Amino acid sequence: MKAWSLKLRLLSWAALGISIVLVLTGLGFGWLYQKNVEKFVLTELTMHMEQLLADVAVAPDGTVSVISKLSDPRFEQPGGGMYWQIDVTGQASLRSRSLWDEALVVPTPPANTVEDHAHIMKLPSGGEMFALEKLIVASSETGIEKNLVVTLGIDRERVTNPISEFLRILLVGLALTYFTLLAATFAIITLGLRPLQEVKRGVAALRSGASNFDSSRLPNEVKPLA
């Protein structure tokens, strides 16, 4: 069996250990950043949802309408990246201008007012959006109640692009960290094994009869070997 050098063996184990630590670090930071972005987006959608619900009105005849526009102009731009839709039983859906007058297909509408859904939905244009769905009960001044399924979402790319960019930067940073740590480890191992090199030179000198080997300057761990 071919013997490995002690330096190569230590460097190999160090490289393996550094790789495992950095991979776990990268996965952990990536997961935390993704959850943070999704939480931020969900908070933004909730804010727009509350504004939209505040503008919902039920007429005396039971007709549901939205009395004013949302503050974010993306809802008014066709394909603007932010979308909302209100599904009403017995009435055509109300939709933001950004949907180009095309309806969203809500696969799993909430069954009650407590249950909210946040998931990925298909857009009529073929893309996807990160959506928040909510069931509310709106009533008119005459006491007519209407169940409304409100869906509000943002282009999925607006969520995934920042995550992808962060992961790219994180990967570059971890790669630089890996090679820096590996170089530092190599230097430490080289300095740590220097006493063994002195033992090697001393033994060679003794064999040639050039000098007597003085082990007094060697570390305690190496003196017995010397």
Side-chain angles (χ1 to χ4, degrees):
M1 180 182 294
K2 183 179 179 180
W4 286 19
S5 71
L6 185 57
K7 180 185 292 187
L8 180 59
R9 185 176 301 176
L10 291 174
L11 189 61
S12 299
W13 282 108
L16 178 61
I18 293 172
S19 299
I20 293 174
V21 170
L22 291 183
V23 167
L24 293 178
T25 300
L27 292 175
F29 275 109
W31 181 82
L32 288 174
Y33 185 79
Q34 179 179 348
K35 292 301 178 183
N36 187 61
V37 170
E38 291 178 353
K39 182 179 179 181
F40 175 81
V41 171
L42 187 59
T43 301
E44 183 181 7
L45 293 179
T46 301
M47 178 189 67
H48 289 302
M49 176 77 76
E50 292 174 352
Q51 183 183 0
L52 178 61
L53 295 180
D55 293 332
V56 171
V58 182
D61 62 353
T63 302
V64 179
S65 62
V66 177
I67 58 178
S68 62
K69 298 179 180 179
L70 295 184
S71 58
D72 195 319
R74 289 176 292 180
F75 289 107
E76 298 303 316
Q77 301 170 3
M82 294 286 291
Y83 315 93
W84 64 261
Q85 177 173 296
I86 300 177
D87 293 314
V88 188
T89 303
Q91 179 182 331
S93 298
L94 304 174
R95 296 183 291 273
S96 62
R97 184 72 183 101
S98 54
L99 284 172
W100 285 78
D101 296 327
E102 296 184 86
L104 294 171
V105 178
V106 183
T108 56
N112 53 66
T113 56
V114 179
E115 178 186 10
D116 294 345
H117 291 173
H119 55 84
I120 304 300
M121 280 183 55
K122 291 288 186 180
L123 283 167
S125 60
E128 293 181 329
M129 73 174 185
F130 188 81
L132 176 65
E133 301 166 8
K134 187 177 185 67
L135 173 65
I136 68 166
V137 179
S139 58
S140 67
E141 296 179 354
T142 58
I144 298 176
E145 292 186 345
K146 288 285 187 177
N147 289 345
L148 313 178
V149 175
V150 184
T151 304
L152 196 146
I154 183 172
D155 274 338
R156 190 180 184 185
E157 291 182 354
R158 306 290 178 92
V159 181
T160 57
N161 285 349
I163 297 175
S164 299
E165 180 64 17
F166 173 79
L167 292 179
R168 185 185 67 81
I169 296 174
L170 179 63
L171 183 61
V172 173
L174 291 177
L176 292 175
T177 302
Y178 173 80
F179 289 110
T180 301
L181 291 177
L182 200 59
T185 302
F186 178 79
I188 292 172
I189 292 175
T190 300
L191 292 174
L193 295 180
R194 182 171 292 177
L196 294 181
Q197 294 295 329
E198 294 183 11
V199 172
K200 181 180 178 180
R201 288 193 294 269
V203 170
L206 287 175
R207 284 180 174 176
S208 62
S211 65
N212 293 325
F213 180 49
D214 182 12
S215 64
S216 61
R217 296 179 301 170
L218 297 175
N220 293 331
E221 292 84 359
V222 182
K223 283 183 179 179
L225 174 63

